[in-house]
Amino acid sequence: PVVHFALNAQDKLKILVVDGDPQTSVVQSETFFLSRALNPAGERDSSLFSPTVILPDGLNSATLDGYQVVMLCNVATLSDGVVTKLQNFVRQGGGVLIFGGDKFQPESYSQRLSQILPAELREKKLGPEASGEKVGKFDLVHPALQNLSEGTLQESIKSVRVWGYTRAAAPGKAVLISLANGDPLLLEKTVGSGKLM
């Protein structure tokens, strides 16, 4: 017997990367290394990931329908229109990753994205300048981190030092990576059929 079925195959993961601190030198931009990690050769067919980099102003007019993930990299604040757009995007199955930085304003995010954030964001904290904070625990069961279960990779991650981060209030089970001092470094929340990290 012959069986026919339809398979919806997606060959590329389209990612919208928002650069919150563009520089005149491309290498110094917030998104240079992230974009290269996603698509090292920078060619259209060389990677499973297809990143498109825009500036924060472009997010106001950007249509998110064609993307599976939006990455906000050191974006200071979000307008009302962008907040609504991101909330709808996540609820409908999109993924949003928020990376802090020196321009990032945690209080603004906590107020504007309170419905979809995994925890209230608090003050920025700088770790000890000489050594930084060490990575303490990470959830190797989580699909995003399970490839890090090999011993050498675990040791490599635990050797990472963090000199600055944004603190979060009582995130509970949302913590995927935490520092040795107990502060969360990576949080996740499922919102509708999407996720925010």
Side-chain angles (χ1 to χ4, degrees):
V2 176
V3 177
H4 297 276
F5 61 92
L7 177 63
N8 185 10
Q10 184 174 324
D11 59 344
K12 297 279 182 198
L13 186 65
K14 291 187 68 182
I15 302 169
L16 184 62
V17 181
V18 186
D19 191 332
D21 190 17
Q23 301 290 316
T24 53
S25 167
V26 175
V27 177
Q28 293 178 332
S29 81
E30 291 291 329
T31 59
F32 175 78
F33 290 105
L34 176 60
S35 296
R36 294 309 173 274
L38 293 169
N39 189 344
E43 296 171 7
R44 185 175 179 188
D45 296 322
S46 65
S47 173
L48 294 174
F49 304 105
S50 178
T52 300
V53 179
I54 65 170
L55 301 179
D57 289 346
L59 197 51
N60 291 316
S61 59
T63 302
L64 304 183
D65 295 345
Y67 295 97
Q68 287 76 44
V69 178
V70 174
M71 295 181 175
L72 304 175
C73 302
N74 200 11
V75 175
T77 60
L78 304 170
S79 69
D80 290 340
V82 168
V83 166
T84 302
K85 192 183 290 192
L86 286 174
Q87 288 174 336
N88 291 335
F89 177 73
V90 173
R91 287 187 179 111
Q92 293 167 7
V96 174
L97 281 83
I98 301 173
F99 298 97
D102 62 326
K103 307 250 183 251
F104 181 74
Q105 297 177 18
E107 312 82 27
S108 176
Y109 276 74
S110 283
Q111 290 172 356
R112 301 176 139 253
L113 291 177
S114 62
Q115 295 178 5
I116 62 172
L117 283 176
E120 178 189 352
L121 301 177
R122 296 215 170 141
E123 77 280 1
K124 294 179 186 177
K125 182 176 179 191
L126 297 178
E129 197 157 318
S131 61
E133 297 286 354
K134 292 182 179 183
V135 171
K137 298 178 188 173
F138 42 99
D139 181 356
L140 292 174
V141 177
H142 191 279
L145 303 176
Q146 63 188 6
N147 289 336
L148 304 175
S149 61
E150 195 268 317
T152 307
L153 286 173
Q154 285 188 46
E155 290 307 313
S156 179
I157 290 170
K158 287 185 178 179
S159 71
V160 168
R161 298 294 179 266
V162 176
W163 279 271
Y165 59 97
T166 300
R167 299 188 81 186
K173 294 182 179 179
V175 179
L176 300 182
I177 301 176
S178 62
L179 297 171
N181 68 7
D183 283 343
L185 189 61
L186 178 62
L187 301 166
E188 176 187 59
K189 182 176 180 180
T190 300
V191 180
S193 50
K195 291 187 186 296
L196 184 135
M197 298 175 94

